[in-house]
Amino acid sequence: MMILVENSLYFPSHEGGTAVLCGVLLVTVIAAFVARLRFQARALASARAVARTLQDGMLRPLPSRVDGLRTEVRYRAAQPEARVGGDIYDVISTPFGVRVLIGDVMGSGMPAVGTALDALGAFRELARCEPRLPMVAQRMDAALARRKGSEDFVTALLLGLSADEGRAELVCCGHPPPLLIRGRRATYVDALPPSPPLGLFGLQDEWCRSSTVPLALGDRLLLYTDGVTEARDTVGTFYPLADRAVALYDPDPGVFLDAVSADLGRHAKGRINDDVALLLIDYGDIRAQGEQLRSQSPQLIRTEDIQPVEDVRPI
């Protein structure tokens, strides 16, 4: 290496030249590393922006009241950095009353996100134009079954509630049953017979049926995904949702769901490996300005109290 010093030439030693070269290489490596970090930061920011857009389209905030019903929802994706997952939900005011959806996409990655968006889009359209709740499920199934190149399906629970009727109509498509909370009692509503998950109706030649559940003023329906009931503690015990819902009851639906969500996290010691969705429908004042329901027994609802109301053949 040759260096010009005060109009004269200086030839450094071999060791000195090596040191200078190593310094140049080190600076180059550091600059490349910093550039890579900046690129990764921009990519992460872009991915988060996409995730926020997806969340806004999939899991939009619910109004606190829908046609007199009080609604609250709590959602947590399995991955700490994720904003969207496989659980879906919505509550819509329609000409046929309030209609509710909660579901869980059986799949992973972007195809599952696509399935979730398709299921929500179909529900939001059909809930407003299809008078019969079982047909909403049938047509949602048909929409998902037509998707090419996807084997994902959706377990779902559809509810229909009306301000002038003291009941809820249910269609269960392979999803866990809702929890009916009445005072200091809680029980799982047996919405039998269930239909297959959405996207799989074609596997069975069975009718899609709905059932009804009588509701009294003050009743609550807690809808959830299996990430709640399948959460385990350190010894493998599943989360006892019904027992905890009674123990943590609060007149304020938001405070109640906050307590259940926090209690679930404590039970699992923070190790929740599935998406979690809790959706509460409070029937406290939906008929406050209408005819009052006759008093209901506080006893747990029995299977024989649930009446099938409609059959719809698969299409």
Side-chain angles (χ1 to χ4, degrees), residues 86-172:
D87 292 353
I88 57 175
Y89 58 82
D90 209 346
V91 180
I92 300 175
S93 175
T94 79
F96 319 106
V98 176
R99 286 182 166 174
V100 182
L101 166 72
I102 190 166
D104 189 354
V105 178
M106 299 294 109
S108 60
M110 290 307 297
V113 173
T115 300
L117 286 170
D118 285 347
L120 279 169
F123 173 74
R124 289 165 180 169
E125 177 182 355
L126 294 168
R128 293 185 172 95
C129 65
E130 175 53 60
R132 296 171 295 171
L133 192 63
M135 276 304 300
V136 174
Q138 289 283 173
R139 295 178 65 181
M140 288 179 66
D141 168 83
L144 293 179
R146 286 194 298 266
R147 284 165 39 92
K148 295 182 179 180
S150 175
E151 298 180 354
D152 296 340
F153 58 90
V154 182
T155 69
L157 183 68
L158 284 72
L159 271 71
L161 303 106
S162 177
D164 59 357
E165 297 179 359
R167 66 183 183 91
E169 184 181 10
L170 293 85
V171 173
C172 181

Side-chain angles (χ1 to χ4, degrees), residues 56-236:
D56 291 342
M58 289 177 57
L59 305 179
R60 57 194 181 191
L62 297 182
S64 60
R65 293 185 184 275
V66 182
D67 292 356
L69 282 172
R70 176 74 184 271
T71 65
E72 286 286 345
V73 66
R74 298 294 182 271
Y75 173 81
R76 179 169 61 184
Q79 299 300 322
E81 294 298 323
R83 294 174 61 91
V84 294
D87 292 353
I88 57 175
Y89 58 82
D90 209 346
V91 180
I92 300 175
S93 175
T94 79
F96 319 106
V98 176
R99 286 182 166 174
V100 182
L101 166 72
I102 190 166
D104 189 354
V105 178
M106 299 294 109
S108 60
M110 290 307 297
V113 173
T115 300
L117 286 170
D118 285 347
L120 279 169
F123 173 74
R124 289 165 180 169
E125 177 182 355
L126 294 168
R128 293 185 172 95
C129 65
E130 175 53 60
R132 296 171 295 171
L133 192 63
M135 276 304 300
V136 174
Q138 289 283 173
R139 295 178 65 181
M140 288 179 66
D141 168 83
L144 293 179
R146 286 194 298 266
R147 284 165 39 92
K148 295 182 179 180
S150 175
E151 298 180 354
D152 296 340
F153 58 90
V154 182
T155 69
L157 183 68
L158 284 72
L159 271 71
L161 303 106
S162 177
D164 59 357
E165 297 179 359
R167 66 183 183 91
E169 184 181 10
L170 293 85
V171 173
C172 181
C173 302
H175 197 80
L179 184 68
L180 173 64
I181 304 171
R182 178 172 292 167
R184 289 294 178 175
R185 296 177 182 270
T187 185
Y188 293 104
V189 176
D190 189 1
L192 295 176
S195 298
L198 300 176
L200 299 179
F201 278 20
L203 298 179
Q204 298 187 40
D205 186 18
E206 294 186 359
W207 296 51
C208 182
R209 307 179 66 186
S210 67
S211 302
T212 59
V213 178
L215 294 176
L217 292 174
D219 283 354
R220 290 175 170 178
L221 287 171
L222 180 58
L223 285 61
Y224 55 92
T225 54
D226 59 12
V228 176
T229 50
E230 294 182 1
R232 301 173 183 248
D233 62 13
T234 54
V235 297

